[in-house]
Amino acid sequence: MIEEITIQPKESFKAKAEKAIRRNIYRWHRMLGLLTIIPTIFWTASGVMHPFMSHWFKTTIAHEFYKAEPVAPADVTLQLGQVLIQNKITEFKNFRLIKFEGNAWYQVKGVDDKLRYFNTTTGAELPDGDRKYAEHMARNMLGEPKSKMISSTLLTGFTDQYKYVNRFLPVWKISFDDDRKMDIYVETGQSRFATFNDKGRKAFIWVFGTFHNWGFMDIITNNTIRIAVMVTFLSLIILSAVAGVAVYGLMWKKFKTGRSGNQRGILRKYHRSIGIWCSLFTFTFAFSGAYHAVQKLDPDQRQKYVYDPVIKTEEIAQASVIDLKGVDNIGLIKWGENIFWQTMRKDWETDKTVVDYTNIRDGKKLEDGNIRFAKYLARKFAAQEERNAESCCDLMEAQISSPISDAEVEKASLVTSFAGEYGFVNKRLPVVKLAYDTPDHTTYYIETTTSRLSTKVEDRNRREGFSFAFLHKYSGLDFLGKNARDGVMTAAAASVLIVSVLGLLVFLKIK
């Protein structure tokens, strides 16, 4: 009798791999989850706080915009050159006209970047003028002229409470002795309100900086290592989220266990749905957060891109200030061998902002001057970046060739509101937008009134900005309104936080 033998076919590598994944993926998901549970709690808890502190329960002040008092032609008796000569100032960088407490003043920026104030009628200097103007602005913002001030401090660098995101420097920090322990920050150089912090917001800034941006690591290491550690944990969270989607979505039948009877709690009943949604929320937050953090490895150095050449008093000594009627802001622009009065005003017919350039020698206006000056600054800044120079003022005219020198400007326009890729985070308005025909679609945003680079945007920045806006801040839901959008975002972050806390409690119980 011949015995029948059955030969089993060899299992393919693919089949073995699939079995190994099915056998281990839940264990991997759980292990990755435990490794990253504390960082996830830090990020989601501080993230949930953001909408509450930013606008839902944000304290208010009387004015969040400083409306500068206009200087009328009758307020100016002495010309700028006369005042400078009277005060033995032989060179300076720029000037403005301001008015406060019933007097008009020449605000002169010296070669040392300090601001001095001279009466437009007598030419006399106002002692400690910049501090007095800052305090005047702060009281106006707070709306409480009799509030007691604790201190007035000039900041020339960013601090733990006045973060880089505020952009403006130098600023005055004016601290008040009121119930809210209010600090108001103002930029006197352009008569601008920067930000304010009460005691609640100060606490939130500390929590957010410490637990969301991991500021505590700055004490023990540098920025590069801090970001590397953050990205490492975020990468593990991404892997955990992907494993979660696989477990609860693609391989659920492999892990689902049968139970007799119908006694199932709501969490058990909806375990799969909760797992999928939390994994998706976790993935979007972690992926966009990691992408955003990686960009921080390349320091944002926009603060150093400013054009402020020295002007000699003798160059403007004979010039008369132009008609100030309707002028909101005035300054000087030294452009090559020429010097121009730069004025900003509102066109009463169109309500559009108009920036004009008038030659101090012959009084002629420069046609399309604001766009032309912005293009000049963009070339300067591009050359400065290419040569890694600290100042564009040190570059000779022959040195300002750059990658955009031969590129065409596809679009040039004055931007007067925040929108699209030029968001509120950039702070400065109005700015000139210059979109160049380069492979990276380089776009410069130039604040011509301060001759500063507000920001430079390329395709890589747009990709990261899109990721952060839509996956981290849920900007795709803007059509629902700010409150509804932030409500959805907060609910998503809170769900991840709750699941993480429950997971930690289960782990501790098992241990």
Side-chain angles (χ1 to χ4, degrees):
M1 185 175 181
I2 299 174
E3 187 176 350
E4 200 173 288
I5 300 174
T6 304
I7 301 175
Q8 297 291 337
K10 285 188 177 180
E11 193 171 27
S12 68
F13 175 79
K14 181 181 178 181
K16 288 181 179 179
E18 287 178 352
K19 274 188 177 180
I21 292 173
R22 285 198 299 268
R23 188 166 56 245
N24 295 306
I25 194 167
Y26 186 80
R27 183 163 59 88
W28 295 339
H29 170 59
R30 185 172 178 273
M31 181 178 66
L32 288 171
L34 292 175
L35 280 173
T36 58
I37 202 164
I38 298 300
T40 300
I41 290 173
F42 282 176
W43 276 315
T44 51
S46 55
V48 165
M49 289 177 60
H50 194 277
F52 288 93
M53 298 301 296
S54 294
H55 63 274
W56 284 345
F57 293 102
K58 181 182 177 181
T59 189
T60 59
I61 58 175
H63 307 287
E64 291 192 22
F65 176 79
Y66 181 74
K67 186 172 178 57
E69 189 176 351
V71 176
D75 294 326
V76 181
T77 302
L78 297 177
Q79 297 300 316
L80 175 63
Q82 293 174 292
V83 172
L84 295 175
I85 293 170
Q86 177 180 326
N87 287 276
K88 297 180 173 56
I89 298 173
T90 58
E91 53 186 18
F92 65 106
K93 286 188 174 180
N94 216 326
F95 92 104
R96 294 174 62 238
L97 279 168
I98 63 166
K99 191 173 183 178
F100 73 100
E101 296 182 352
N103 293 305
W105 308 88
Y106 284 110
Q107 181 195 68
V108 179
K109 183 180 181 181
V111 293
D112 58 359
D113 292 328
K114 292 181 179 178
L115 299 178
R116 298 169 67 184
Y117 294 71
F118 303 93
N119 192 288
T120 58
T121 300
T122 67
E125 183 171 5
L126 177 66
D128 207 14
D130 204 34
R131 180 190 301 274
K132 291 174 181 176
Y133 185 45
E135 291 175 352
H136 164 80
M137 288 181 63
R139 287 192 186 280
N140 180 277
M141 307 307 300
L142 191 61
E144 298 176 14
K146 301 300 181 182
S147 292
K148 181 182 178 182
M149 293 181 184
I150 299 174
S151 63
S152 303
T153 308
L154 180 64
L155 302 181
T156 56
F158 297 101
T159 68
D160 289 340
Q161 289 293 318
Y162 185 72
K163 300 284 190 180
Y164 188 84
V165 70
N166 293 296
R167 307 300 183 211
F168 302 136
L169 278 180
V171 295
W172 281 92
K173 173 188 174 183
I174 312 297
S175 301
F176 290 88
D177 186 19
D178 58 5
D179 293 340
R180 297 183 290 180
K181 302 299 178 186
M182 184 68 73
D183 292 337
I184 292 183
Y185 298 83
V186 294
E187 183 198 32
T188 53
Q190 287 293 311
S191 301
R192 284 192 286 211
F193 167 63
T195 190
F196 68 93
N197 296 333
D198 65 345
K199 57 186 177 183
R201 183 170 169 80
K202 292 172 191 175
F204 165 70
I205 290 173
W206 182 86
V207 170
F208 197 80
T210 301
F211 296 107
H212 209 83
N213 297 330
W214 288 25
F216 60 87
M217 292 194 67
D218 290 336
I219 302 172
I220 57 176
T221 187
N222 58 37
N223 181 64
T224 301
I225 294 176
R226 177 179 67 89
I227 291 174
V229 173
M230 289 174 67
V231 171
T232 298
F233 276 105
L234 286 167
S235 299
L236 293 175
I237 291 171
I238 292 169
L239 290 174
S240 176
V242 170
V245 171
V247 167
Y248 296 111
L250 304 177
M251 301 180 179
W252 180 247
K253 291 182 180 180
K254 302 292 181 181
F255 301 102
K256 182 180 178 182
T257 56
R259 291 185 176 271
S260 58
N262 295 319
Q263 295 181 350
R264 294 192 299 169
I266 189 168
L267 288 178
R268 187 176 298 282
K269 182 178 180 181
Y270 296 105
H271 184 204
R272 183 187 185 191
S273 298
I274 293 171
I276 291 174
W277 280 110
C278 282
S279 295
L280 288 173
F281 292 149
T282 302
F283 177 81
T284 58
F285 285 134
F287 174 80
S288 56
Y291 196 180
H292 187 68
V294 168
Q295 308 307 308
K296 302 297 182 183
L297 289 171
D298 186 14
D300 187 342
Q301 295 184 316
R302 72 182 78 184
Q303 292 292 327
K304 76 176 186 179
Y305 294 98
V306 56
Y307 177 63
D308 54 354
V310 173
I311 301 172
K312 294 186 180 301
T313 299
E314 62 187 33
E315 296 179 281
I316 58 95
Q318 304 304 317
S320 297
V321 175
I322 61 176
D323 186 4
L324 298 173
K325 186 177 180 180
V327 171
D328 297 320
N329 199 3
I330 185 170
L332 284 171
I333 296 298
K334 186 173 184 179
W335 185 352
E337 298 300 318
N338 295 303
I339 299 177
F340 298 88
W341 300 113
Q342 181 196 61
T343 56
M344 185 168 67
R345 60 183 175 83
K346 281 279 189 181
D347 188 308
W348 64 272
E349 290 183 333
T350 63
D351 199 37
K352 290 183 178 179
T353 299
V354 178
V355 184
D356 287 323
Y357 294 72
T358 305
N359 196 300
I360 67 168
R361 292 176 182 170
D362 55 23
K364 291 182 179 179
K365 284 189 178 180
L366 181 65
E367 188 70 25
D368 204 22
N370 204 37
I371 298 297
R372 291 168 65 180
F373 183 55
K375 291 178 180 178
Y376 173 75
L377 292 177
R379 291 195 300 274
K380 278 271 192 183
F381 297 150
Q384 179 185 351
E385 181 180 18
E386 187 171 77
R387 288 162 178 76
N388 196 28
E390 283 303 311
S391 173
C392 67
C393 291
D394 296 333
L395 299 176
M396 303 298 290
E397 294 301 310
Q399 294 179 294
I400 64 171
S401 61
S402 66
I404 65 168
S405 296
D406 299 322
E408 293 290 329
V409 177
E410 294 182 320
K411 183 178 181 181
S413 60
L414 185 67
V415 177
T416 57
S417 60
F418 299 110
E421 69 180 22
Y422 191 76
F424 180 72
V425 70
N426 295 294
K427 300 297 192 258
R428 300 179 183 277
L429 283 177
V431 294
V432 174
K433 174 183 179 181
L434 299 173
Y436 287 89
D437 181 20
T438 63
D440 295 324
H441 302 99
T442 304
T443 301
Y444 282 84
Y445 290 89
I446 308 288
E447 186 179 50
T448 53
T449 52
T450 58
S451 301
R452 282 188 175 275
L453 172 67
S454 180
T455 191
K456 172 188 171 186
V457 181
E458 295 178 320
D459 285 341
R460 62 186 179 88
N461 309 116
R462 294 183 179 94
R463 287 190 292 268
E464 188 279 319
F466 181 86
S467 163
F468 197 73
F470 281 82
L471 300 181
H472 212 88
K473 301 177 73 173
Y474 285 30
S475 296
L477 301 178
D478 283 347
F479 67 93
L480 296 176
K482 189 173 184 178
N483 287 329
R485 180 205 67 194
D486 283 357
V488 173
M489 180 181 67
T490 302
S495 67
V496 178
L497 173 62
I498 292 168
V499 168
S500 299
V501 171
L502 291 175
L504 179 61
L505 293 175
V506 168
F507 174 71
L508 293 175
K509 183 178 179 181
I510 292 173
K511 295 299 286 185

